[in-house]
Amino acid sequence: MLDPLDLVEVYETSDLTPGERPVLVHALRGFVDAGQAGTLATGALLSGLENEVVARIDADQLVDYRDRRPRMTFRSDRFDAVAMPEILLHAVRDERGAPFLLLTGPEPDLQWERFAAAVRLLAERFDVRMAVGLHGIPWASPHTRPVGLSPHASDRSLIAGRPRWIGEVEVPGHVGALLEQRFGQAGVPSVGFTAHVPHYLAQAEFPPAAVALLDALAETADLALPTADLQAAGATVLEEVDRQVAADEDTRTAVTAMERTYDAVLAGRALEGPGLATPSLPDDEMPDGEELAADLEAYLRGLDESGDDRDRPWAPDPGPAVGAPDPTADRADDGTSDDGDGGDPAPRT
């Protein structure tokens, strides 16, 4: 392996002080960013919070430009500008002033192990206490139910209380997963959250998925993060999707079928078919009967007050795909998302 330090340029900063031990958040584009979940989440963090760039990783050695060609501007008789990709490490302060680090940019095409080693060296330099990865994948779920999350971690205790959605499966590798694994092997607690984006909206912006990611990050890392703008944008998106679904009978039927499966799995009724296993907790994390009864009573009170069920957890469903971003279009879900960066297809889970 070539020297990982040769990839890194670190800038002088006064924003991080010894002993603060920040969390490192990574959300690199290029694998699958269904609903632009990770992109929207990182954009909200950088636009809504105080931040500065503290390090740069040399993308010129890591990105295949012929696979993901940089955008160039041609004006009249000359090439006027080019937007070259950048992999940047930002120091960010949350709404209470707590520090964390945010790694953004394209997923490297080349030298994954060297890149992972470089990120680990940066984590050591800034005394990182935990790493958290964020992204979204297409999922057979209705937009009328809450966005689900698949949690994963180097240690189950880091995601205790969150359900398992799938068992063992081979998936296309991506750098975010490699970072999670390598951090765990190096003794740095490492967590990831994968947002379940309705597959018929995977190629459109879906702010509710970004909100779900930021909420999970805030809870796990004890951070105060801005989500108000994303929540407002999500409400607008859901209203528009509802309008388009209502205008087409076939689409309406497909979404209704997904809702029925969602509710059936949530209720614990036996179903057959791929991807329909009821999400579960390990035995030692299962609540007792009194806790379940209290949760049910709280849920029913909330349903009576709100008139909807958007705060319910949801279950995967293999219902038919409908088009995205226009739900009335006829597009089969092939497990991929076009975020402009290429990347491997997502698994159908």
Side-chain angles (χ1 to χ4, degrees):
M1 183 193 300
L2 298 174
D3 189 350
L5 285 176
D6 290 342
L7 285 175
V8 177
E9 182 180 7
V10 180
Y11 305 124
E12 292 295 328
T13 177
S14 59
D15 197 51
L16 293 173
T17 57
E20 288 191 296
R21 304 211 65 201
V23 169
L24 170 63
V25 182
H26 53 93
L28 300 169
R29 303 185 312 275
F31 173 52
V32 172
D33 193 19
Q36 299 189 34
T39 299
L40 290 172
T42 57
L45 295 176
L46 293 178
S47 64
L49 297 172
E50 174 188 345
N51 66 88
E52 67 172 332
V53 175
V54 295
R56 182 186 306 268
I57 295 179
D58 189 359
D60 202 51
Q61 299 189 52
L62 304 175
V63 176
D64 180 356
Y65 297 136
R66 292 190 301 174
D67 183 56
R68 293 182 283 180
R69 295 181 182 272
R71 305 299 295 178
M72 305 186 77
T73 302
F74 183 82
R75 297 185 187 277
S76 182
D77 57 2
R78 68 188 186 280
F79 288 99
D80 187 63
V82 59
M84 299 301 289
E86 295 183 300
I87 303 175
L88 302 175
L89 185 66
H90 310 259
V92 189
R93 293 278 174 179
D94 78 352
E95 293 178 331
R96 297 190 298 256
F100 64 96
L101 298 171
L102 178 62
L103 182 65
T104 64
E107 177 187 55
D109 298 301
L110 311 169
Q111 304 183 41
W112 282 15
E113 289 287 11
R114 186 184 182 204
F115 171 77
V119 175
R120 292 202 311 275
L121 290 173
L122 285 171
E124 291 176 6
R125 181 186 182 101
F126 293 108
D127 197 20
V128 164
R129 62 182 172 87
M130 177 190 294
V132 182
L134 309 173
H135 79 283
I137 59 171
W139 196 274
S141 64
H143 70 280
T144 53
R145 299 299 186 261
V147 175
L149 294 174
S150 287
H152 31 91
S154 59
D155 186 327
R156 173 67 200 181
S157 66
L158 299 170
I159 52 173
R162 295 183 179 273
R164 298 166 171 166
W165 287 93
I166 58 176
E168 180 176 335
V169 62
E170 289 191 1
V171 299
H174 60 105
V175 162
L178 183 65
L179 286 174
E180 182 177 317
Q181 187 179 55
R182 294 294 183 255
F183 271 122
Q185 292 169 344
V188 178
S190 188
V191 181
F193 294 104
T194 302
H196 306 160
V197 178
H199 55 78
Y200 50 93
L201 299 173
Q203 296 188 54
E205 289 190 354
F206 193 63
V211 172
L213 291 176
L214 291 181
D215 285 347
L217 171 61
E219 179 181 353
T220 300
D222 191 23
L223 296 172
L225 304 177
T227 60
D229 289 346
L230 284 174
Q231 289 175 355
T236 300
V237 167
L238 290 173
E239 289 176 1
E240 175 61 19
V241 175
D242 283 342
R243 184 189 66 79
Q244 294 189 31
V245 169
D248 183 81
E249 182 177 354
D250 290 340
T251 303
R252 191 166 60 250
T253 299
V255 172
T256 299
M258 283 189 282
E259 290 173 336
R260 283 199 301 266
T261 302
Y262 167 98
D263 293 333
V265 174
L266 185 68
R269 293 199 294 270
L271 295 174
E272 294 181 356
L276 290 178
T278 302
S280 62
L281 293 172
D283 291 341
D284 60 354
E285 295 177 24
M286 286 295 291
D288 61 26
E290 291 183 359
E291 291 173 324
L292 289 172
D295 288 345
L296 178 59
E297 290 173 1
Y299 164 71
L300 292 175
R301 285 195 301 271
L303 185 59
D304 289 340
E305 294 169 0
S306 66
D308 64 34
D309 59 356
R310 289 188 183 275
D311 62 339
R312 294 170 64 181
W314 73 276
D317 162 78
V322 290
D326 179 2
T328 64
D330 182 16
R331 181 183 295 127
D333 172 30
D334 62 358
T336 64
S337 170
D338 181 11
D339 63 3
D341 289 320
D344 289 320
R348 182 184 298 275
T349 49

